[in-house]
Amino acid sequence: MFHGGYPGLKPGDLILPPDQSGTARRLSTTVAELGGPAHAQRTDVVYLATDRQVARAYAAFYPDGGLYSVLPASPVDPDPDCSVPGLSWQCPYGIVAAVVDPVVLFRLKTPERWLRMLNAASSR
């Protein structure tokens, strides 16, 4: 599973939900405000994607966040806000297994192209 977000994490680091990490930055809010798919709305869980490109787009919206392969810390539950079965999952926290891309540069694509990536995956 993949997670895109805060840059600079390394294998073994925890990915905590906003309620525990204290971050005010919620990528799902930014994406929804720009017309992207509305999922990943809770702040008490971590979201993981089975599609690498979806997580990559979320990493870019950080901005310039990291893309990680993540092991869920417990069994995962489907994201009830995601309309594509099996795409988005939630769990209490995750553990970085590997850094897939340390910096996903937002400026490499227009915001509209990043959103198209998310919308395409969310409409399968």
Side-chain angles (χ1 to χ4, degrees), residues 2-60:
F2 300 95
H3 180 84
Y6 187 81
L9 299 178
K10 56 191 178 308
D13 284 349
L14 297 181
I15 297 179
L16 299 172
D19 286 356
Q20 290 182 32
S21 69
T23 185
R25 184 158 185 81
R26 293 184 50 221
L27 302 179
S28 57
T29 301
T30 302
V31 169
E33 287 171 354
L34 293 171
H39 58 83
Q41 300 296 311
R42 291 177 52 185
T43 60
D44 62 333
V45 294
V46 167
Y47 289 92
L48 306 175
T50 54
D51 186 309
R52 179 178 169 160
Q53 293 306 316
V54 168
R56 185 170 185 268
Y58 275 102

Side-chain angles (χ1 to χ4, degrees), residues 3-7 25 27 31 52-68 101-106 114 118:
H3 180 84
Y6 187 81
R25 184 158 185 81
L27 302 179
V31 169
R52 179 178 169 160
Q53 293 306 316
V54 168
R56 185 170 185 268
Y58 275 102
F61 273 102
Y62 193 78
D64 303 340
L67 174 61
Y68 308 101
D101 190 345
V103 179
V104 179
L105 297 174
F106 183 80
W114 287 116
L118 288 174

Side-chain angles (χ1 to χ4, degrees), residues 85-109:
L87 175 63
S88 181
W89 299 86
Q90 58 192 30
C91 62
Y93 66 96
I95 302 166
V96 176
V99 178
V100 176
D101 190 345
V103 179
V104 179
L105 297 174
F106 183 80
R107 65 184 174 272
L108 292 180
K109 296 182 185 339

Side-chain angles (χ1 to χ4, degrees), residues 71-95:
L71 300 171
S74 65
V76 295
D77 293 315
D79 173 0
D81 299 317
C82 183
S83 61
V84 179
L87 175 63
S88 181
W89 299 86
Q90 58 192 30
C91 62
Y93 66 96
I95 302 166

